[in-house]
Amino acid sequence: MQNRPADAERIYAELQSIIDRQEHIQEFDTWPKQQIIEYIVTRFHDVHRQQLPELIRLAERVETTHVDSKYCPIGLTQYLVQIQNELEEHMQKEENVLFPMLAQEHLSLPAGPIQVMKREHDDHLSHISDIFEITNDIQLHPDACNSWKALYLGLQAFINDIYMHIFIENNVLFVR
C-alpha cells in the first residue's frame, strides 16, 4: 500500500458526524484524566481488540469465496492483519507507558511520547484511507453475500470508532 495523505476534509466531516451522533465531548471537560483513560481503554482499545479478528475472518472468507469478482477487496485480509499488529503495539505503548504517565495529575505532559502517539495516529488515518481504496469506499455491489455485507458494516463501525478514538486522545486527553 502506498502512503497517501489522508483526505483531511473527509476525515473532519466524519469526525463531526460521529461527534454529533455518538459522543458528548463536552462531558469530558469535567472528567479527570484517569476517567478519560479508562473510557478510552474500555470503549476503544477493548473494542478494537474484538473488532479486528472478526474483520480479518470475514475479509478472508470474502477474498477466498469471491476472488474472481472484480469487486473483491483483494489484499484486505493481509492489510487488516498489518493494521491489527500496528494498532495492538500502539495501544500497548499507551496502556503501559503513556497512560500511566498521564494519570499522574501532578506531572507535566510528556511531550515526546505524545508526539510519537500523534504520528502513529496519523499513520492509522492513512491506513483508513487505504481501506477505502481497497474496498471502493466501502461500497457494496448489488450481489454481495451476507459475509461481505457484515464485513463492510464492521469496517464502517471500526472506522467510526478509530476516528473517535484518535479525536478524543488528540483533542481531549493530550491537551489537558
Side-chain angles (χ1 to χ4, degrees), residues 110-127:
I114 287 175
Q115 290 308 312
V116 169
M117 294 298 106
K118 284 184 172 184
R119 272 194 309 275
E120 290 181 8
H121 289 166
D122 291 343
D123 292 342
H124 300 321
L125 294 175
S126 177
H127 292 327

Side-chain angles (χ1 to χ4, degrees), residues 96-153:
N96 296 325
V97 178
L98 183 60
F99 288 172
M101 289 167 45
L102 291 176
Q104 297 180 24
E105 295 284 341
H106 63 280
L107 293 179
S108 62
L109 287 176
I114 287 175
Q115 290 308 312
V116 169
M117 294 298 106
K118 284 184 172 184
R119 272 194 309 275
E120 290 181 8
H121 289 166
D122 291 343
D123 292 342
H124 300 321
L125 294 175
S126 177
H127 292 327
I128 298 305
S129 292
D130 292 335
I131 288 173
F132 281 119
E133 184 178 317
I134 293 169
T135 62
N136 189 33
D137 291 328
I138 312 181
Q139 296 299 314
L140 283 170
H141 66 89
D143 298 324
C145 68
N146 287 336
S147 293
W148 206 330
K149 290 174 185 175
L151 171 63
Y152 279 24
L153 285 172

Side-chain angles (χ1 to χ4, degrees), residues 16-110:
Q16 191 58 51
S17 170
I18 294 166
I19 290 168
D20 293 343
R21 284 192 329 264
Q22 296 180 356
E23 308 289 343
H24 302 284
I25 296 299
Q26 66 275 8
E27 292 178 11
F28 293 122
D29 291 339
T30 62
W31 291 12
K33 283 190 277 186
Q34 184 59 43
Q35 186 176 358
I36 296 170
I37 290 167
E38 289 170 8
Y39 176 79
I40 289 168
V41 171
T42 57
R43 171 59 183 88
F44 298 109
H45 290 198
D46 293 349
V47 170
H48 296 325
R49 288 180 175 120
Q50 294 170 2
Q51 289 170 318
L52 283 164
E54 179 63 9
L55 291 172
I56 290 166
R57 184 189 70 77
L58 288 167
E60 186 172 44
R61 177 182 287 175
V62 168
E63 285 187 73
T64 301
T65 305
H66 302 284
V67 69
D68 294 329
S69 169
K70 68 179 183 177
Y71 303 107
C72 185
I74 302 294
L76 182 60
T77 303
Q78 182 179 353
Y79 201 64
L80 289 172
V81 168
Q82 176 187 340
I83 289 170
Q84 180 184 36
N85 292 336
E86 290 178 14
L87 190 57
E88 181 59 37
E89 182 179 318
H90 174 86
M91 293 185 300
Q92 286 292 324
K93 286 189 274 188
E94 286 180 338
E95 292 169 9
N96 296 325
V97 178
L98 183 60
F99 288 172
M101 289 167 45
L102 291 176
Q104 297 180 24
E105 295 284 341
H106 63 280
L107 293 179
S108 62
L109 287 176

